[in-house]
Amino acid sequence: MATFPEYIAQNEERDGVRFSWNVWPSSRLEATRMVVPVAALFTPLKERPDLPPIQYEPVLCSRATCRAVLNPLCQVDYRAKLWACNFCYQRNQRGPQMPLVFLYVVDTCMEDEDLQALKESLQMSLSLLPPTALVGLITFGRMVQVHELGCEGISKSYVFRGTKDLSAKQLQEMLGLTKPSASQGRGPQAAQPPLSNRFLQPVQKIDMNLTDLLGELQRDPWPVTQGKRPLRSLGVAMSIAVGLLECTFPNTGARIMTFVGGPATQGPGMVVGDELKTPIRSWHDIEKDNAKFMKKATKHYEALAGRASSNGHIIDIYACALDQTGLLEMKCCANHTGGYMVMADSFNTSLFKQTFQRVFTKDVQGSFKMAFAATLEIKTSREIKVSGAIGPCVSLNAKGPCVSENEIGTGGTCQWKVCGLDPSTTLALYFEVVNQHNAPIPQGGRGAVQFVTQYQHASGQRRIRVTTTARNWADAQTQIQSIAASFDQEAAAILMARLAVYRAETEEGPDVLRWLDRQLIRLCQKFGDYHKDDPNSFRFSETFSLYPQFMFHLRRSPFLQVFNNSPDESSYYRHQFNRQDLTQALIMIQPVLYAYSFNGPPEPVLLDSSSILPDRILLMDTFFQILIYHGETVSQWRKAGYQEMPEYENFRHLLQAPVDDAQELLHTRFPMPRYIDTEHGGSQARFLLSKVNPSQTHNNMYAWGQESGAPILTDDVSLQVFMDHLKKLAVSSAA
């Protein structure tokens, strides 16, 4: 019989599913008393090399009166991609392979070296696209230009004013676009892929022209006077991109890749004026209701996100600038369409270049690891219903028997649209047990959930992936032990954290922390072992023992604490947290720390100030940063250059070991983390000091003696104090 940890690992490996509970309470009332809801983290495209797809769904004869299914008795002409029906002799086209569409939207208001680096990255990306993929180019500064591609020898573009928004209909008339025929999607015509147009052309046809066109891009020619920001029409450029794809490729997988070098400063979607002396909004301004462009801009981008997601189009945002660019207002564009959001200081950094290149990673078959225009549908057995989803998705408003009235996240539906998926995209799904208290569940019964993901594979095929899971029921009054033993504390921590981050988007920070604390205290009261009013008697079984420290680190994390982060940074961190899988999300909440010393191989150590010793090197992975910290003694030796002397070869190896391990993480992670090399007393040591548990602070350092770690200047409570408070509250009869 497998233990629960083994069972959990097998299910994650096979199905890409982790449930908060792996035995479910059999009644609605008992389920609400469990504190943590029955919920799942689901990775729809979990990589399974052993899972060959059944190549296509049934292909039907296109004659309306026949509709027979393609079968071994039909004659197939492979070269012409036709097949003849053996019942009515109709000649049928093989199913259309939809081309992939990539529309580049490029900011030209930036320094020359930044623009040069960006142009080179874009030219590189063209060489990675499949030859049949369609590409388009829109550039913007004060004006917005939609470039016609494939006109030999002359560059031709349509120029739009950056101060006025255009509807899809106006854009269609101005660009002379033909609407795809109404019969598309039905009958014999369904087989013809949509017409390409002058603005979206196959890479193989215009590769050279587009490479030259990108190479010739110049910085926005409009003069920028001293003390002003350049006029940047980002809002209109994105609107035109959304409109162009809406007219030409509705309901087809497409990516709008937006490259932004600064904030929108004019027209719809502007987030700051052009006067440099007026800074872009901070959290302080937002709290004081002093961010005058924020509401209007957010509304503009939310409308664009809605239009893009209803057509299955992804919006990626690559924001590379030293100051904020407006990710707070634009976040819905990536969050609602499954798009990427990447934040760097400049386009001329390896962080941007490597991350952008990794977007085009291919699998063993040579297809991109990205999927398009997906829908996720959930079916449940009748004792449970689905309350909602949190992740990069929007509701398809599909009501049905398995939809709960209690909404969590994006609820009121059993189907969601996920325009962009990759193998690590993970959704959190929340369920409600609806079985009544007096209605028994048959002995040995199981509750089942089926996840049906339909998507356009990068090869152009439509695919369906079906994942079906079941878990045992138990009566919480007689079998509470078996429910408690089935608790997956890692999954539960991430599912509760997603819920907290979701609430933090609309509620006040302190209210979210109070809610989180209340849930934790209730969980301790329900599943801890203790004598009333005796905090020292409190014990948590192994299945729950790590959960309080996850909550401790979550409370201090940038997902819930906005202090020291700009609104753009908070939006970026939350975006990543809401789409990554369980392993990455755990690192984000509780970073991993490794110690390197002369005493042997590197070892994981506690994320605690007592781990910071003078003769150690630490490697910390926070997901967003990879940091190497040299203790005081090591740092002095390094400055003295011992590593250069042949007799101190082992010291050279010690310095090199964490660097090699860091490189491995830097080369595999998406997005690429920021690399920080620092030492005792270094200015960037603050990144480490703000993450570790401050078990020694300037208030209690004398009690600790000098040699056992680094005291930290903070008024934050330590994990020990947090746990003491928690135990006191959990065992109190007043609570």
Side-chain angles (χ1 to χ4, degrees), residues 329-345:
E329 290 80 359
M330 296 189 285
K331 64 188 175 193
C332 51
C333 292
N335 292 348
H336 293 177
T337 65
Y340 295 127
M341 188 191 281
V342 173
M343 197 176 173
D345 292 342

Side-chain angles (χ1 to χ4, degrees), residues 372-377 452-456 462-465:
F372 299 82
T375 58
L376 169 65
E377 181 177 5
V452 182
T453 313
Q454 306 199 29
Y455 61 97
Q456 181 184 325
R462 288 297 302 174
R463 288 191 178 175
I464 302 182
R465 183 154 171 176

Side-chain angles (χ1 to χ4, degrees), residues 78 116 138 245 281 326 359 470 503 606:
Y78 288 99
Q116 187 53 38
I138 294 175
L245 289 178
R281 40 98 199 107
V359 169
R503 294 176 79 127
L606 289 175

